[in-house]
């Protein structure tokens, strides 16, 4: 085992003890539960597994989850870029307050976030009542699910971009403007290539959270069977109804999505590290 810092030496027994504790924790908390999900989902056989995933309620939940994610991810990507650009390229009154509010979805419980939307857009509120009079229903409908998911996933892209854009500064962008580029050309040819990997990383995190969100969506969905249940909500319903095969089959879908997210994260990190190492090897 190679010591990262040669100035720090620890007994080999302690090193192996720490490794053993870490591996045991990962095995107990991550690997075994994940394996149990797939075992319970498949112990009745592939036919029952596929039947559980293709029944009408499951298909409706999968479609709604994919629809919500398809709306939330691009919207939050655009908003995240805009907020990161605003906070790193401009100084204005209230900037610190906006920076603080950006972390509000992280600090507020998702259940409380869902309740806020109910109090804002519910049928008995001023805004909600006016919208329903125009035939637009937010709460206990798909728009409420999308809004709640937008709220809880909003900071991910911005929080990945802000530190990078602050570290990079705006010297290259200013040079592009001086050389005659317009704003769109500057963004497309200078800014976007510089932030693309952080943007991809933020999108991956947003996608993972959007597909797995439970608390806020549970409050605003109304749990209407076949209409407003996403995959996480239907997993709870199936489990409470003792439909364990259906619950674990849908859980396996979420687990596969989580594994795919980790693979994408690792790939992005590997590409970033490789490009950084290549840049450091270039002669000055």
């Amino acid at each position: 085992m190679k010591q990262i810092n040669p100035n720090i030496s620890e007994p080999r027994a302690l090193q192996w003890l720490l490794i053993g504790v870490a591996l045991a924790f990962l095995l107990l908390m991550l690997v075994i539960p994940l394996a149990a999900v797939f075992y319970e989902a498949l112990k009745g056989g592939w036919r029952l597994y596929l039947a559980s995933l293709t029944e009408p309620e499951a298909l409706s939940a999968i479609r709604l989850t994919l629809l919500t994610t398809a709306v939330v991810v691009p919207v939050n990507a655009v908003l995240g870029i805009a907020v990161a650009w605003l906070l790193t390229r401009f100084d204005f009154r209230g900037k610190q307050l906006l920076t603080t509010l950006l972390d509000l979805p992280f600090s507020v419980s998702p259940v409380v976030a869902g309740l806020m939307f109910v109090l804002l857009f519910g049928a008995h509120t001023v805004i909600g009542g006016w919208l329903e009079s125009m035939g637009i229903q937010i709460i206990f409908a798909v728009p409420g699910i999308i809004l709640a998911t937008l709220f809880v996933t909003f900071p991910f892209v911005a929080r990945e971009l802000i530190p990078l854009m602050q570290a990079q500064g705006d010297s290259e962008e200013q040079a592009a403007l001086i050389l005659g580029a317009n704003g769109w050309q500057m963004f497309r040819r200078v800014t976007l290539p510089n932030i693309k990997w952080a943007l991809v990383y933020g999108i991956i995190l947003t996608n993972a959270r959007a597909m797995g969100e439970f608390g806020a969506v549970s409050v605003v969905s109304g749990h209407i069977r076949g209409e407003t249940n996403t995959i996480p909500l239907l997993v709870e319903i199936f489990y409470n109804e003792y439909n364990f095969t259906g619950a674990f089959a849908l859980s396996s879908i979420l687990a596969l999505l989580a594994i795919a997210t980790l693979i994408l994260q690792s790939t992005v990190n590997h590409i970033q590290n490789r490009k950084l190492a290549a840049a450091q090897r270039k002669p000055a």
Side-chain angles (χ1 to χ4, degrees):
M1 188 187 309
K2 185 178 180 181
Q3 190 80 27
I4 296 177
N5 189 341
N7 297 320
I8 300 177
S9 59
E10 298 290 347
R12 185 171 295 274
L14 178 60
Q15 296 176 10
W16 285 111
L17 175 62
L18 293 175
I19 293 174
V21 170
L23 290 176
F25 177 81
L26 292 175
L27 185 67
L28 181 64
M29 300 302 294
L30 296 177
V31 178
I32 293 178
L34 189 63
V37 167
F38 287 101
Y39 171 77
E40 292 292 335
L42 294 170
K43 71 177 183 180
W46 280 101
R47 181 172 298 179
L48 184 58
Y49 175 79
L50 294 176
S52 299
L53 292 179
T54 54
E55 65 175 89
E57 278 192 73
L59 290 176
S60 174
I62 293 171
R63 283 195 298 267
L64 180 56
T65 302
L66 294 176
L67 172 64
T68 302
T69 304
V71 174
V72 166
V73 170
V75 170
N76 271 343
V78 173
L79 291 177
I81 293 172
V83 170
W85 181 277
L86 176 66
L87 294 177
T88 58
R89 298 297 185 260
F90 299 96
D91 287 318
F92 53 91
R93 184 175 298 178
K95 179 178 178 178
Q96 186 58 46
L97 176 62
L98 180 59
T99 304
T100 303
L101 290 176
L102 182 61
D103 291 328
L104 185 63
F106 287 149
S107 57
V108 173
S109 167
V111 174
V112 175
L115 183 59
M116 291 191 302
F117 283 103
V118 172
L119 295 176
L120 184 61
F121 295 110
H124 300 291
T125 64
V126 175
I127 299 176
W130 176 73
L131 288 172
E132 289 206 5
S133 68
M134 300 179 63
I136 302 173
Q137 184 177 353
I138 302 298
I139 303 303
F140 306 150
V142 174
I145 294 173
I146 292 175
L147 284 175
T149 309
L150 277 170
F151 177 83
V152 298
T153 59
F154 175 72
F156 286 103
V157 172
R159 276 302 172 198
E160 290 297 323
L161 294 179
I162 288 173
L164 177 64
M165 294 177 71
Q166 286 176 334
Q168 290 177 343
D170 62 351
S171 57
E172 293 185 20
E173 295 162 356
Q174 294 294 335
L177 292 175
I178 292 173
L179 293 173
N182 58 35
W184 171 245
Q185 289 173 329
M186 176 200 68
F187 175 78
R188 184 167 59 89
R189 295 179 179 273
V190 179
T191 306
L192 192 58
N194 287 338
I195 65 171
K196 62 181 179 182
W197 293 116
L199 177 61
V200 169
Y201 197 78
I203 289 174
I204 291 171
L205 295 177
T206 302
N207 180 78
R209 179 65 186 274
M211 286 192 170
E213 175 55 30
F214 178 86
V217 171
S218 178
V219 175
V220 302
S221 73
H223 296 276
I224 303 173
R225 305 292 290 255
E227 294 184 23
T228 63
N229 282 323
T230 58
I231 293 177
L233 301 186
L234 193 59
V235 167
E236 183 194 35
I237 291 173
F238 279 173
Y239 191 83
N240 290 336
E241 294 178 347
Y242 302 102
N243 182 1
F244 297 126
T245 300
F248 284 109
L250 288 172
S251 297
S252 69
I253 298 297
L254 293 176
L256 289 173
L257 292 172
I259 293 172
T261 300
L262 290 175
I263 293 173
L264 283 173
Q265 287 179 324
S266 299
T267 302
V268 170
N269 285 333
H270 175 70
I271 294 174
Q272 284 181 301
N273 293 334
R274 189 174 61 184
K275 288 182 176 295
L276 180 60
Q280 291 175 343
R281 287 196 299 267
K282 289 183 179 179

